[in-house]
PDB file of all heavy atoms in Angstrom:
ATOM      1  N   TRP O 186      81.723 -12.070-110.123  1.00 97.00           N
ATOM      2  CA  TRP O 186      82.002 -13.251-110.922  1.00 97.00           C
ATOM      3  C   TRP O 186      80.882 -14.010-111.323  1.00 97.00           C
ATOM      4  O   TRP O 186      80.042 -14.450-110.340  1.00 97.00           O
ATOM      5  CB  TRP O 186      82.959 -14.223-110.176  1.00 97.00           C
ATOM      6  CG  TRP O 186      83.458 -15.468-110.774  1.00 97.00           C
ATOM      7  CD1 TRP O 186      84.383 -15.675-111.705  1.00 97.00           C
ATOM      8  CD2 TRP O 186      82.713 -16.680-110.669  1.00 97.00           C
ATOM      9  NE1 TRP O 186      84.358 -16.939-112.145  1.00 97.00           N
ATOM     10  CE2 TRP O 186      83.367 -17.692-111.517  1.00 97.00           C
ATOM     11  CE3 TRP O 186      81.611 -17.143-109.798  1.00 97.00           C
ATOM     12  CZ2 TRP O 186      82.987 -18.995-111.603  1.00 97.00           C
ATOM     13  CZ3 TRP O 186      81.364 -18.576-109.968  1.00 97.00           C
ATOM     14  CH2 TRP O 186      81.965 -19.422-110.735  1.00 97.00           C
ATOM     15  N   TRP O 187      80.658 -14.210-112.593  1.00 97.00           N
ATOM     16  CA  TRP O 187      79.494 -14.857-113.092  1.00 97.00           C
ATOM     17  C   TRP O 187      79.790 -16.086-113.997  1.00 97.00           C
ATOM     18  O   TRP O 187      79.739 -16.045-115.231  1.00 97.00           O
ATOM     19  CB  TRP O 187      78.508 -13.931-113.911  1.00 97.00           C
ATOM     20  CG  TRP O 187      77.159 -14.521-114.174  1.00 97.00           C
ATOM     21  CD1 TRP O 187      76.572 -15.060-115.224  1.00 97.00           C
ATOM     22  CD2 TRP O 187      76.034 -14.568-113.146  1.00 97.00           C
ATOM     23  NE1 TRP O 187      75.450 -15.394-115.107  1.00 97.00           N
ATOM     24  CE2 TRP O 187      74.931 -15.101-113.849  1.00 97.00           C
ATOM     25  CE3 TRP O 187      76.000 -14.136-111.834  1.00 97.00           C
ATOM     26  CZ2 TRP O 187      73.740 -15.279-113.229  1.00 97.00           C
ATOM     27  CZ3 TRP O 187      74.691 -14.294-111.122  1.00 97.00           C
ATOM     28  CH2 TRP O 187      73.719 -14.989-111.809  1.00 97.00           C
ATOM     29  N   PHE O 188      80.352 -17.098-113.257  1.00 95.00           N
ATOM     30  CA  PHE O 188      80.681 -18.412-113.944  1.00 95.00           C
ATOM     31  C   PHE O 188      81.697 -18.333-115.046  1.00 95.00           C
ATOM     32  O   PHE O 188      81.727 -18.996-115.975  1.00 95.00           O
ATOM     33  CB  PHE O 188      79.512 -19.210-114.534  1.00 95.00           C
ATOM     34  CG  PHE O 188      78.412 -19.348-113.362  1.00 95.00           C
ATOM     35  CD1 PHE O 188      77.289 -18.540-113.440  1.00 95.00           C
ATOM     36  CD2 PHE O 188      78.649 -20.155-112.357  1.00 95.00           C
ATOM     37  CE1 PHE O 188      76.328 -18.588-112.539  1.00 95.00           C
ATOM     38  CE2 PHE O 188      77.562 -20.293-111.419  1.00 95.00           C
ATOM     39  CZ  PHE O 188      76.454 -19.501-111.394  1.00 95.00           C
ATOM     40  N   ALA O 189      82.508 -17.237-114.873  1.00 95.00           N
ATOM     41  CA  ALA O 189      83.523 -16.909-115.975  1.00 95.00           C
ATOM     42  C   ALA O 189      84.934 -17.689-115.499  1.00 95.00           C
ATOM     43  O   ALA O 189      84.860 -18.276-114.468  1.00 95.00           O
ATOM     44  CB  ALA O 189      83.837 -15.443-116.126  1.00 95.00           C
ATOM     45  N   ASN O 190      85.847 -17.463-116.383  1.00 93.00           N
ATOM     46  CA  ASN O 190      87.168 -17.982-115.999  1.00 93.00           C
ATOM     47  C   ASN O 190      87.662 -17.263-114.777  1.00 93.00           C
ATOM     48  O   ASN O 190      87.843 -16.035-114.767  1.00 93.00           O
ATOM     49  CB  ASN O 190      88.109 -17.841-117.264  1.00 93.00           C
ATOM     50  CG  ASN O 190      89.458 -18.614-116.947  1.00 93.00           C
ATOM     51  OD1 ASN O 190      90.205 -18.196-115.965  1.00 93.00           O
ATOM     52  ND2 ASN O 190      89.714 -19.522-117.861  1.00 93.00           N
ATOM     53  N   THR O 191      88.112 -17.956-113.823  1.00 94.00           N
ATOM     54  CA  THR O 191      88.577 -17.369-112.549  1.00 94.00           C
ATOM     55  C   THR O 191      89.922 -16.435-112.705  1.00 94.00           C
ATOM     56  O   THR O 191      90.137 -15.563-112.047  1.00 94.00           O
ATOM     57  CB  THR O 191      88.812 -18.340-111.437  1.00 94.00           C
ATOM     58  OG1 THR O 191      89.659 -19.258-111.798  1.00 94.00           O
ATOM     59  CG2 THR O 191      87.331 -19.012-111.052  1.00 94.00           C
ATOM     60  N   ASP O 192      90.565 -16.876-113.869  1.00 93.00           N
ATOM     61  CA  ASP O 192      91.893 -16.154-114.080  1.00 93.00           C
ATOM     62  C   ASP O 192      91.597 -14.659-114.421  1.00 93.00           C
ATOM     63  O   ASP O 192      92.295 -13.763-114.094  1.00 93.00           O
ATOM     64  CB  ASP O 192      92.536 -16.711-115.220  1.00 93.00           C
ATOM     65  CG  ASP O 192      93.270 -17.957-114.825  1.00 93.00           C
ATOM     66  OD1 ASP O 192      93.415 -18.274-113.559  1.00 93.00           O
ATOM     67  OD2 ASP O 192      93.421 -18.884-115.750  1.00 93.00           O
ATOM     68  N   ALA O 193      90.428 -14.300-115.103  1.00 90.00           N
ATOM     69  CA  ALA O 193      89.999 -13.079-115.407  1.00 90.00           C
ATOM     70  C   ALA O 193      89.853 -12.193-114.290  1.00 90.00           C
ATOM     71  O   ALA O 193      90.284 -11.013-114.163  1.00 90.00           O
ATOM     72  CB  ALA O 193      88.749 -12.983-116.276  1.00 90.00           C
ATOM     73  N   LEU O 194      89.111 -12.562-113.157  1.00 92.00           N
ATOM     74  CA  LEU O 194      88.886 -11.938-111.894  1.00 92.00           C
ATOM     75  C   LEU O 194      90.190 -11.741-111.214  1.00 92.00           C
ATOM     76  O   LEU O 194      90.505 -10.658-110.650  1.00 92.00           O
ATOM     77  CB  LEU O 194      87.955 -12.604-111.026  1.00 92.00           C
ATOM     78  CG  LEU O 194      87.452 -11.965-109.814  1.00 92.00           C
ATOM     79  CD1 LEU O 194      86.920 -10.570-109.945  1.00 92.00           C
ATOM     80  CD2 LEU O 194      86.490 -12.854-108.950  1.00 92.00           C
ATOM     81  N   SER O 195      91.051 -12.686-111.173  1.00 93.00           N
ATOM     82  CA  SER O 195      92.230 -12.725-110.454  1.00 93.00           C
ATOM     83  C   SER O 195      93.250 -11.674-111.087  1.00 93.00           C
ATOM     84  O   SER O 195      93.769 -10.881-110.343  1.00 93.00           O
ATOM     85  CB  SER O 195      92.901 -13.997-110.460  1.00 93.00           C
ATOM     86  OG  SER O 195      94.294 -14.039-109.881  1.00 93.00           O
ATOM     87  N   LYS O 196      93.328 -11.677-112.481  1.00 91.00           N
ATOM     88  CA  LYS O 196      94.137 -10.721-113.041  1.00 91.00           C
ATOM     89  C   LYS O 196      93.756  -9.241-112.862  1.00 91.00           C
ATOM     90  O   LYS O 196      94.522  -8.441-112.790  1.00 91.00           O
ATOM     91  CB  LYS O 196      94.297 -11.049-114.504  1.00 91.00           C
ATOM     92  CG  LYS O 196      95.121 -12.286-114.736  1.00 91.00           C
ATOM     93  CD  LYS O 196      95.311 -12.577-116.318  1.00 91.00           C
ATOM     94  CE  LYS O 196      96.106 -13.813-116.582  1.00 91.00           C
ATOM     95  NZ  LYS O 196      96.313 -14.090-117.882  1.00 91.00           N
ATOM     96  N   HIS O 197      92.338  -9.098-112.813  1.00 90.00           N
ATOM     97  CA  HIS O 197      91.889  -7.828-112.590  1.00 90.00           C
ATOM     98  C   HIS O 197      92.107  -7.185-111.310  1.00 90.00           C
ATOM     99  O   HIS O 197      92.512  -6.037-111.084  1.00 90.00           O
ATOM    100  CB  HIS O 197      90.293  -7.910-112.854  1.00 90.00           C
ATOM    101  CG  HIS O 197      89.659  -6.539-112.612  1.00 90.00           C
ATOM    102  ND1 HIS O 197      89.523  -5.555-113.539  1.00 90.00           N
ATOM    103  CD2 HIS O 197      88.803  -6.147-111.565  1.00 90.00           C
ATOM    104  CE1 HIS O 197      88.892  -4.541-112.990  1.00 90.00           C
ATOM    105  NE2 HIS O 197      88.412  -4.894-111.740  1.00 90.00           N
ATOM    106  N   MET O 198      91.981  -8.110-110.299  1.00 90.00           N
ATOM    107  CA  MET O 198      92.437  -7.686-108.906  1.00 90.00           C
ATOM    108  C   MET O 198      93.847  -7.456-108.666  1.00 90.00           C
ATOM    109  O   MET O 198      94.265  -6.691-108.001  1.00 90.00           O
ATOM    110  CB  MET O 198      91.790  -8.774-107.969  1.00 90.00           C
ATOM    111  CG  MET O 198      90.237  -8.854-108.117  1.00 90.00           C
ATOM    112  SD  MET O 198      89.553  -9.906-106.743  1.00 90.00           S
ATOM    113  CE  MET O 198      89.194  -8.818-105.524  1.00 90.00           C
ATOM    114  N   GLU O 199      94.679  -8.333-109.367  1.00 89.00           N
ATOM    115  CA  GLU O 199      96.199  -7.925-109.368  1.00 89.00           C
ATOM    116  C   GLU O 199      96.507  -6.593-109.852  1.00 89.00           C
ATOM    117  O   GLU O 199      97.204  -5.887-109.333  1.00 89.00           O
ATOM    118  CB  GLU O 199      96.782  -9.108-110.186  1.00 89.00           C
ATOM    119  CG  GLU O 199      96.913 -10.440-109.432  1.00 89.00           C
ATOM    120  CD  GLU O 199      97.654 -11.461-110.304  1.00 89.00           C
ATOM    121  OE1 GLU O 199      98.098 -11.113-111.408  1.00 89.00           O
ATOM    122  OE2 GLU O 199      97.709 -12.653-109.895  1.00 89.00           O
TER     123      GLU O 199
END
Side-chain angles (χ1 to χ4, degrees):
W186 175 83
W187 195 258
F188 309 105
N190 190 296
T191 55
D192 289 339
L194 179 59
S195 177
K196 289 182 180 181
H197 177 76
M198 300 185 84
E199 284 178 5

